[in-house]
Amino acid sequence: MRQAPRKARAMPRDFLTIAARSRRAAPVLSKRMDRAVPRGGQGGGPGAVRGVPTISTPAGRGRGVAEGESTMIAASTFDLLTLALLPGIGPRRTAELRERGPLAGLLARPGEHADLLGEEALRQLRAGEARRCAEAQLQQADRLGVRIVGLDEADYPGRLRHIYDPPPVLYVRGSLEGTEGELSLAVVGSRAASPAGGALARQLSRELAAAGIVIVSGLARGIDSEAHRGALEGGGRTVAVLGSGLDRLYPPENAGLAARIAQAGAVVSEFPFGTEACPGHFPRRNRIIAGWGRGVVVVEAAARSGALVTARCALDEGREVMAVPGHPSQPGAEGTNQLLRDGAALVRGAADVAAELGLVMRVTEPGPTGADDLTALLRADAPLGLDELQARSGRSPADLLACLARLELEARVRRLPGGLFVRR
């Protein structure tokens, strides 16, 4: 289903803990912002690109910079960050201001743009408060091993750059690859996922990631978390987009998962440090998820699910929308079945997704090892309960439980809530 793009609580320690390092003096930022000026040194340090205005920040080990070096941020990114932190200046207003010329001149003479800048934004710019706020964000980013990537930088996601209202800057824990959007796909769904829905999302993401597809989701409970886990199990990249600042991870129980994602992909947000998760932030997050890659797969969604917001954003940007069908009696299938009625592509597995995206992909279900007939009965994407396994296998309850326990220890079977089992 495709539509033409429109025109018009504190952070858990295991996510943001970084190696201890000696205290270093804060940088002195050049007033002209056309060269890097570390305290006690000259501009043009390691990482500087000739001809590209840069600003120096203290080196952060989390970004692979040696002790004592200075990391660099493009001056255009610093200007975008300064603008993004101003009250009342969102992505669309930022785009309007950029159309008037270089942001450096605008920030130096804000009074000439009072029609787009509100009174409080003008006050903060004239008082130097806006610049100090941006510097504070950069310094905190360095302490936490986070990089701030601007809209004009090469590794800013290419497809995201061209949506209706791209975020001016992204806070990134991990790594970005600007061209990976052509092989990126969002997998989203209900927070209150059924065991079957969670298993399918995990298996789908595992197979797609193993085939080289980057899995994008929102780190929420339920389908999103299973999609990320599946991508990690498949040995691929996955990107988690937050509706809060990177130092206010939500939900907090996913801190460990977020740390693993940052090692194998990226955890990103457009929200500055200190921003708590709130309902109004998630639609903004969803447009990023939808715009990152080529399409969206909705695994489970109730009639008013946030996953449907992501699907609508994808439609608005001309992305592919796909959905997994469900039984009409299940509340979690109401939204996905409606998407299918509206023309979304039906997804039964990874092969359907590959076909919809025009990709050649071999998807094979692992067969039984011969050591146990239970592995032949179980599937990776369709959980079975004890009663059904007993009926199909003919085993006694005691024998069945003992065999399942052995298969769990061998990591060949995974137990789900509610006494359900799937094959790994």
Side-chain angles (χ1 to χ4, degrees), residues 21 24-27 56-60 63 69-71 138-139 142-143:
R21 59 176 182 256
R24 293 183 297 275
S56 171
T57 64
R63 286 175 280 169
E69 292 183 357
S70 295
T71 57
L138 287 176
Q139 291 171 7
D142 181 76
R143 288 194 298 271

Side-chain angles (χ1 to χ4, degrees), residues 368-423:
T369 63
D372 207 306
D373 61 327
L374 283 181
T375 56
L377 297 176
L378 288 166
R379 291 179 53 184
D381 58 354
L384 292 178
L386 290 172
D387 291 342
E388 189 167 1
L389 281 171
Q390 183 182 355
R392 293 188 183 187
S393 67
R395 293 173 179 267
S396 68
D399 184 35
L400 178 62
L401 288 171
C403 189
L404 287 170
R406 177 169 60 83
L407 291 173
E408 280 191 89
L409 290 174
E410 294 174 357
R412 295 162 62 190
V413 164
R414 185 160 58 93
R415 184 191 298 265
L416 301 178
L420 299 174
F421 294 84
V422 293
R423 188 174 68 209

Side-chain angles (χ1 to χ4, degrees), residues 59-353:
R61 291 184 181 177
R63 286 175 280 169
V65 181
E67 180 73 23
E69 292 183 357
S70 295
T71 57
M72 317 298 285
I73 180 171
S76 62
T77 297
F78 185 83
D79 293 340
L80 283 167
L81 176 63
T82 303
L83 201 59
L85 295 171
L86 290 172
I89 306 298
R92 286 308 306 157
R93 184 60 54 85
T94 297
E96 293 177 41
L97 289 166
R98 280 164 58 88
E99 290 173 358
R100 296 188 173 185
L103 291 183
L106 181 150
L107 295 173
R109 298 179 296 278
E112 297 177 6
H113 307 277
D115 57 321
L116 294 180
L117 297 169
E119 291 185 6
E120 179 60 19
L122 284 170
R123 185 196 66 78
Q124 291 186 18
L125 287 168
R126 287 166 172 163
E129 184 178 332
R131 181 184 180 86
R132 290 191 295 273
C133 185
E135 291 170 358
Q137 290 283 312
L138 287 176
Q139 291 171 7
Q140 187 167 1
D142 181 76
R143 288 194 298 271
L144 300 179
V146 170
R147 183 178 168 214
I148 300 177
V149 178
L151 187 62
D152 298 323
E153 296 191 48
D155 49 356
Y156 187 99
R159 280 183 166 259
L160 184 64
R161 179 183 287 118
H162 297 294
I163 69 171
Y164 177 71
D165 51 354
V169 297
L170 291 172
Y171 294 72
V172 181
R173 174 81 167 170
S175 63
L176 291 184
E177 298 178 15
T179 60
E180 70 183 8
E182 293 302 315
L183 288 175
S184 296
L185 178 79
V187 178
V188 297
S190 172
R191 287 176 170 82
S194 69
L200 189 144
R202 193 164 181 160
Q203 177 68 12
L204 178 72
S205 299
R206 181 189 300 120
E207 292 183 359
L208 290 170
I213 303 295
V214 179
I215 302 299
V216 184
S217 200
L219 199 67
R221 301 179 179 99
I223 296 298
D224 289 21
S225 295
E226 293 304 311
H228 291 305
R229 292 187 181 103
L232 292 171
E233 290 170 356
R237 272 180 61 82
T238 183
V239 175
V241 185
L242 304 188
S244 62
L246 291 189
D247 61 338
R248 296 292 188 271
L249 187 74
Y250 182 85
E253 64 266 25
N254 274 352
L257 177 59
R260 293 171 58 204
I261 293 170
Q263 292 294 320
V267 181
V268 305
S269 177
E270 70 172 318
F271 297 101
F273 296 117
T275 304
E276 301 284 355
C278 72
H281 292 168
F282 292 104
R284 292 179 58 182
R285 175 204 66 172
N286 291 347
R287 89 188 192 285
I288 297 176
I289 295 173
W292 196 282
R294 294 183 57 182
V296 172
V297 177
V298 183
V299 176
E300 281 187 340
R304 298 176 62 85
S305 171
L308 300 183
V309 176
T310 308
R312 286 195 294 271
C313 291
L315 280 175
D316 288 343
E317 298 299 339
R319 305 302 199 259
E320 300 290 347
V321 175
M322 294 160 269
V324 176
H327 195 280
S329 66
Q330 301 300 314
E334 189 173 353
T336 52
N337 287 344
Q338 182 62 54
L339 287 173
L340 291 169
R341 286 194 297 271
D342 292 341
L346 186 146
V347 168
R348 297 161 297 179
D352 289 338
V353 175

